[in-house]
Amino acid sequence: MDLLHYLQKPFSKNIIAARVFFASNINFFLLLWLGWMLFPLFLSGFVSDDAFNSQIKGILLHYNISLFDRIVSEISYWLSLGRFNPLNWIFWYSYFYLLPSLLLFKLFVFFIIYLNLIYFEKILKFITQSGSFSYCVVFLLPILFQFRYWHDPFLAFASIPLACLLFFFSLYLLIRYIETAKTTYYWYYLLVFLISLLCYELSYISPLFYFLIIYLENRSLKKSFLLIATPIALILLHFMIKGFFTSTSGLYPGTMFSFNFGNIIEAFYIQLISTFPLTWKLAEGFSNLSFLKINFLDFIVPAVLTGLVVFLLSTLIASDENINKYRLRSLITFSLLLILVPAFIVAISGHQSELIEAGIGYGYLPVFFQYFGLASLIFTIIRAINPSATLSIGIWFIFFVIISFTRLENYHVVQESNIVYKYPRELLEASIKKGILAEVTKNDLIIIDSKYPSDDSWFYSMVTQKEINVCSINISSKSTSISKKNAESYNKKFGTDSFRRTKFPYCLNYRKWNNFYGLSYHNFSDYKSGQVIFATFEDVNRDQENQRFKFKRYKIFDKLSNKIRNKVEGKYYDFNKLRSIDRSSLGNGYFYLLPSLLLEEVFLSFSGLHAEEGTKDSYLRWSSGKSKIIITNDSDEVKSRVLNFSIVRPNNENLPLQIKYDKKIIKDTVQNYKQFSLKLLLEPGETIIEISSELQSLNNGDPREIVFGVVNYALYVSK
């Protein structure tokens, strides 16, 4: 329905002029619309795989290898696991090597997504012979784009939008060949398909869509099959190459298939549901944006822009050409296949189990393809409804709700991801650039407590522009062992003996280190400011696995002032205590915390327990089922102590628990929460308290597979 019918003529003339301007600059307005909807993307950091791949310069410096060597090693490693995507590694490693800028990367990802919309519009125009319909669909698409704090094709895994672009571009070149009969387009179409095949396995679905496009035009099964024969042959060749070089000892889970019918149906349903707007709000295991935190002002701009876009799109709707039934059936088939085929591939792949475990609201990477099919299908349905003022108002309201909440939730997901991926990286980078590691050489070792992707040696090497060796002490001594399979896999990917070079405590004796240092850093409550402390260790015993690192000399970098303060004390501090500090207990900074870090004769350390959470008065560590509390007596005398702690199971399920210490075994059942108190006579050295349960982990989507928590653990002098 054309709303100009209800407007006075002088006003309607201006509206007509605006509509003409909109129609003549429609690609530019599409760019602006997409930019507004995806603006939170530009506020995010390097996320997931991108966080590591972006450190390529540091990888080369740390291992003293060339870019070519690294790419060959990566291709070889993945080929042994059943994946042959060499162009993916060539492209992304080369990109991050030449253009490591975060802003440029986000702009590049945005441009790829924009090109996806442009070429998808051209494909729809060919199918429907309606330019107005195709543009309405691509204007609808951005409101479907949901960010997820899980395998997300927008915030991370830029190879997915790129694979989708290659898919659409190859379809477009095939269409140009059909329209012009120029063989040049045919060869270009095959070349782009080959590139996509060597980038990502989802290109296996391409011939199905090629066939649909070809058959739409010639209606000949024989001719259609002939034109897709070469892509099918290339896929078979790709399979043969993988089969020949793949190791029999292990495969990447994504390359394996599961044909359990019940699991396929469940995984397919979850992946399918993830295509629809606002479904991320249904996800468990993630703190979604609370409705109570939403301000009324947050809805004003979406309301105005939604109204403007719907009004301008009515220009296209009013001029919408008729689509004949044959092309309409082809359109519906194309749209449904674009939704269902990627979802089915995920449902039978090795990602099936992790998708089922994650649950409703989550969707694996190919959901990016599915959005395009859903947008086309939605507008096909809208177009079939008789136009009216009520329909226009209804469409505006639905779009307004989806746009408002999706954009706000996208902002929220970005903020949550920045806490892990962006803010810690920026803090550490600022301190290194200021010179906190100026004295460190390749013959020194830095001990850290790894919590973020920026905690790898690669990042330190990349920022300092020199080889820096970092070893994380997260996993405590007694439980640390090298599985031959894990070590071989790690070394194959990162170089000979790199497992021992980076894993504690083996790193202590990897080389005859000149100096040992410790580094820890925390963001303050605003996340954008924070401090880094860098300490020089004294008297490090390389042969003692459960190390106690003490220091007098240290530096503290403050991001807000962008200054480093150097200090040498007359007393020792305990680095292990510093490791247990969290954001909530940081307060006004490290200088105020130092009195609580003084060295003690008897102290706690942990194995198999995740990082401490909570406040100074109420804190816990989660366990995946088998954990140890290690008490070290650093004196020459027997010490009498009492260890108090509680065990929590976050639901009402009975938790069978076993506690072993000092040749004693306690077997108990915990329902929700139970306190324990152990009286101990501590010989010099280590006393280990093993806490374990065979109960399954909680089904809450947490990748740590939590079984129970150890709460408010504390050591007291026995009276």
Side-chain angles (χ1 to χ4, degrees), residues 49-214:
D49 283 15
D50 297 334
F52 296 99
N53 294 338
S54 62
Q55 300 175 35
I56 180 61
K57 283 190 174 181
I59 296 174
L60 305 184
L61 279 167
H62 184 67
Y63 295 114
N64 192 27
I65 57 174
S66 68
L67 179 62
F68 177 79
D69 291 335
R70 182 74 202 109
I71 290 172
V72 170
S73 174
E74 196 78 58
I75 293 171
S76 173
Y77 171 76
W78 285 105
L79 183 56
S80 69
L81 297 181
R83 299 192 74 182
F84 184 53
N85 48 359
L87 294 186
N88 179 69
W89 297 110
I90 292 171
F91 178 80
W92 286 114
Y93 272 156
S94 300
Y95 174 88
F96 284 123
Y97 183 81
L98 297 171
L99 298 170
S101 164
L102 173 62
L103 178 60
L104 287 178
F105 175 63
K106 295 300 176 180
L107 285 169
F108 182 61
V109 173
F110 173 78
F111 185 64
I112 291 174
I113 296 171
Y114 175 67
L115 287 180
N116 271 286
L117 268 60
I118 293 297
Y119 283 106
F120 187 61
E121 184 276 328
K122 296 179 184 298
I123 294 165
L124 291 182
K125 187 176 181 180
F126 172 78
I127 295 173
T128 63
Q129 299 296 299
S130 171
S132 56
F133 175 89
S134 58
Y135 270 110
C136 284
V137 171
V138 294
F139 267 89
L140 172 63
L141 255 166
I143 78 172
L144 303 180
F145 291 158
Q146 301 174 81
F147 295 176
R148 289 178 167 87
Y149 197 62
W150 194 73
H151 303 302
D152 186 75
F154 296 98
L155 299 180
F157 301 99
S159 55
I160 300 301
L162 182 59
C164 191
L165 175 60
L166 291 170
F167 169 62
F168 288 145
F169 188 47
S170 65
L171 274 170
Y172 169 72
L173 291 171
L174 177 60
I175 288 169
R176 294 295 294 145
Y177 170 68
I178 293 170
E179 290 176 334
T180 65
K182 292 182 178 179
T183 54
T184 305
Y185 284 116
Y186 176 77
W187 293 114
Y188 284 156
Y189 137 73
L190 289 180
L191 176 62
V192 173
F193 170 72
L194 179 61
I195 292 171
S196 69
L197 186 63
L198 297 176
C199 285
Y200 197 69
E201 295 89 345
L202 202 62
S203 56
Y204 290 163
I205 70 173
S206 298
L208 178 63
F209 293 88
Y210 296 158
F211 177 83
L212 187 64
I213 291 295
I214 298 166

Side-chain angles (χ1 to χ4, degrees), residues 298-338:
D298 293 327
F299 294 105
I300 294 178
V301 174
V304 173
L305 285 179
T306 303
L308 179 62
V309 169
V310 170
F311 186 70
L312 292 174
L313 285 178
S314 65
T315 303
L316 301 177
I317 297 172
S319 61
D320 188 17
E321 302 92 342
N322 288 325
I323 304 174
N324 68 51
K325 290 183 179 180
Y326 174 68
R327 290 188 174 274
L328 185 61
R329 286 197 299 270
S330 298
L331 171 68
I332 294 171
T333 303
F334 181 86
S335 304
L336 285 173
L337 288 176
L338 203 49

Side-chain angles (χ1 to χ4, degrees), residues 198-461:
L198 297 176
C199 285
Y200 197 69
E201 295 89 345
L202 202 62
S203 56
Y204 290 163
I205 70 173
S206 298
L208 178 63
F209 293 88
Y210 296 158
F211 177 83
L212 187 64
I213 291 295
I214 298 166
Y215 187 79
L216 170 66
E217 197 66 20
N218 62 33
R219 305 193 189 190
S220 168
L221 290 174
K222 182 178 179 181
K223 291 181 180 179
S224 301
F225 276 119
L226 284 174
L227 284 176
I228 67 169
T230 303
I232 291 174
L234 290 172
I235 290 173
L236 293 174
L237 179 61
H238 191 261
F239 267 111
M240 290 172 63
I241 292 172
K242 290 198 304 181
F244 184 78
F245 289 100
T246 296
S247 168
T248 56
S249 59
L251 291 172
Y252 172 65
T255 64
M256 297 185 288
F257 296 100
S258 172
F259 296 104
N260 181 297
F261 183 74
N263 288 347
I264 291 174
I265 295 298
E266 186 176 0
F268 179 74
Y269 172 72
I270 294 171
Q271 182 70 18
L272 193 62
I273 290 295
S274 69
T275 320
F276 291 87
L278 305 180
T279 49
W280 176 238
K281 297 291 287 182
L282 303 175
E284 295 182 2
F286 176 80
S287 179
N288 292 98
L289 180 65
S290 170
F291 288 107
L292 299 176
K293 294 183 179 180
I294 298 175
N295 193 301
F296 174 74
L297 296 175
D298 293 327
F299 294 105
I300 294 178
V301 174
V304 173
L305 285 179
T306 303
L308 179 62
V309 169
V310 170
F311 186 70
L312 292 174
L313 285 178
S314 65
T315 303
L316 301 177
I317 297 172
S319 61
D320 188 17
E321 302 92 342
N322 288 325
I323 304 174
N324 68 51
K325 290 183 179 180
Y326 174 68
R327 290 188 174 274
L328 185 61
R329 286 197 299 270
S330 298
L331 171 68
I332 294 171
T333 303
F334 181 86
S335 304
L336 285 173
L337 288 176
L338 203 49
I339 299 171
L340 300 177
V341 174
F344 179 73
I345 295 296
V346 172
I348 64 172
S349 76
H351 299 293
Q352 176 194 97
S353 58
E354 61 178 310
L355 185 61
I356 293 172
E357 186 176 346
I360 296 293
Y362 292 88
Y364 198 62
L365 298 171
V367 71
F368 186 81
F369 287 73
Q370 295 167 226
Y371 289 136
F372 290 83
L374 181 63
S376 177
L377 199 60
I378 288 174
F379 200 77
T380 302
I381 295 170
I382 292 174
R383 187 179 174 279
I385 303 173
N386 291 327
S388 66
T390 303
L391 176 64
S392 297
I393 295 171
I395 290 173
W396 171 83
F397 180 75
I398 293 171
F399 281 16
F400 161 66
V401 169
I402 294 172
I403 289 168
S404 300
F405 287 107
T406 297
R407 199 166 182 271
L408 287 171
E409 190 67 39
N410 287 350
Y411 267 113
H412 179 63
V413 172
V414 166
Q415 176 61 28
E416 291 297 309
S417 72
N418 284 348
I419 293 172
V420 174
Y421 291 102
K422 187 178 183 182
Y423 302 143
R425 179 169 173 150
E426 289 179 340
L427 172 60
L428 183 58
E429 183 174 11
S431 71
I432 295 173
K433 287 183 175 179
K434 193 64 180 177
I436 202 166
L437 302 182
E439 66 199 72
V440 180
T441 72
K442 67 179 182 180
N443 293 315
D444 300 325
L445 182 65
I446 303 173
I447 303 297
I448 64 168
D449 196 26
S450 182
K451 293 175 284 188
Y452 308 109
S454 49
D455 287 330
D456 204 289
S457 296
W458 312 337
F459 185 74
Y460 291 79
S461 298

Side-chain angles (χ1 to χ4, degrees), residues 16 91 341 369 493 541 601 636 705:
I16 290 172
F91 178 80
V341 174
F369 287 73
K493 188 173 183 180
N541 183 350
E601 284 188 324
D636 296 325
E705 298 184 343

Side-chain angles (χ1 to χ4, degrees), residues 447-449 451 473-475 520 522 549 574-582 597 605-606 621:
I447 303 297
I448 64 168
D449 196 26
K451 293 175 284 188
I473 196 175
N474 285 47
I475 304 174
S520 183
H522 291 84
F549 299 106
D574 189 344
F575 185 72
N576 280 346
K577 288 186 178 181
L578 185 62
R579 290 175 53 225
S580 65
I581 298 298
D582 62 10
L597 304 179
S605 58
F606 305 92
R621 290 175 181 265

